[in-house]
């Protein structure tokens, strides 16, 4: 047995629903989306720049597990290894905006970058102030012809945590965007895979080294 799931089609919606139910005192799921936003008292009573991130499911606890004080205001889950759609991201931006603007933290994958950019344009059309930081920390594919440059991987957590804490402490949107970009530029990661075989067949392990 490799997996314990009900059905492939329902993986993401059931995962998000289960997360929300177990954290009902702190978060809520936006209707007809896989977007989750903070509802705790500190978030609702102390206006600050909203921090929104998201991406394809399958890499939990990113990003839902990092919603909370000093971290993300909202997160959007796409299907497994698939970017969330622009309309869901847009709804997350609206829910996270407390009048101070919203910072989007986006991993450097073509689908994520495109969909978050579309959502930003939709939000700006409705007078939301939005800035974006694209995380590109994986130096193993910096010059690869098969990607659009360095991927956003483990270093994303550093950007979310540092910018989330700064936002909670009152930093304005423009300063947060500069801070996030600085974190990206000073974070480098590389993935290492190993494979071992045994009488049962084989297994592999994978880990990532992060330097900042």
């Amino acid at each position: 047995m490799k997996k314990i799931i009900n059905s492939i089609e329902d993986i993401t919606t059931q995962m998000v629903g289960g997360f929300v139910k177990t954290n009902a005192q702190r978060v809520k799921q936006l209707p007809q989306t896989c977007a989750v936003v903070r509802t705790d008292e500190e978030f609702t009573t102390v206006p600050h720049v909203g921090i929104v991130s998201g991406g394809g499911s399958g890499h939990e606890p990113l990003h839902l597990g990092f919603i909370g004080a000093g971290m993300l205001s909202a997160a959007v889950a796409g299907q497994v290894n698939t970017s969330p759609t622009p309309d869901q991201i847009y709804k997350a931006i609206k829910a996270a905006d407390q009048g101070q603007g919203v910072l989007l933290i986006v991993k450097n994958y073509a689908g994520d970058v495109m969909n978050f950019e579309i959502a930003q344009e939709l939000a700006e059309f409705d007078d939301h102030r939005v800035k974006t930081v694209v995380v590109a920390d994986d130096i193993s594919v910096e010059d690869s012809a098969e990607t659009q440059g360095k991927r956003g991987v483990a270093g994303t957590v550093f950007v979310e945590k540092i910018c989330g804490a700064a936002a909670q402490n009152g930093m304005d949107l423009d300063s947060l965007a500069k801070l996030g970009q600085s974190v990206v530029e000073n974070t480098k990661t590389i993935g290492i895979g190993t494979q071992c075989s045994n009488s049962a067949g084989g297994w592999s392990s994978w880990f990532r080294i992060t330097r900042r």
Side-chain angles (χ1 to χ4, degrees), residues 26-108:
R26 291 185 290 266
V27 299
K28 70 176 180 180
Q29 183 175 355
L30 300 181
Q32 299 180 326
T33 76
C34 283
V36 178
V37 64
R38 287 177 62 187
T39 58
D40 58 275
E41 184 176 356
E42 185 174 11
F43 174 72
T44 57
T45 60
V46 183
H48 59 272
V49 174
I51 308 292
V52 176
S53 191
S57 299
H59 303 284
E60 291 66 44
L62 274 182
H63 298 272
L64 296 178
F66 292 93
I67 299 173
M71 295 261 325
L72 297 179
S73 307
V76 194
Q79 297 300 312
V80 175
N81 293 336
T82 303
S83 172
T85 57
D87 60 313
Q88 296 192 76
I89 301 167
Y90 167 63
K91 291 177 181 178
I93 294 171
K94 290 178 62 178
D97 193 354
Q98 300 173 299
Q100 309 298 311
V102 172
L103 179 69
L104 302 180
I105 299 176
V106 185
K107 303 189 299 299
N108 191 34

Side-chain angles (χ1 to χ4, degrees), residues 124-203:
E124 289 175 337
F125 184 80
D126 285 342
D127 296 325
H128 295 277
R129 291 187 63 234
V130 183
K131 296 281 186 178
T132 295
V133 172
V134 177
V135 184
D137 55 291
D138 185 1
I139 60 174
S140 68
V141 293
E142 184 170 2
D143 299 317
S144 172
E146 298 178 1
T147 71
Q148 60 176 41
K150 292 181 290 186
R151 300 176 300 175
V153 283
T156 308
V157 178
F158 289 105
V159 185
E160 292 177 347
K161 177 56 185 170
I162 292 171
C163 289
Q168 193 80 33
N169 288 327
M171 183 175 284
D172 65 79
L173 179 58
D174 291 334
S175 299
L176 278 171
K178 293 178 181 178
L179 173 63
Q181 187 59 42
S182 177
V183 176
V184 171
E185 292 171 358
N186 287 281
T187 302
K188 312 297 179 187
T189 72
I190 186 168
I192 298 176
T194 62
Q195 185 164 355
C196 301
S197 61
N198 53 37
S199 59
W203 58 272

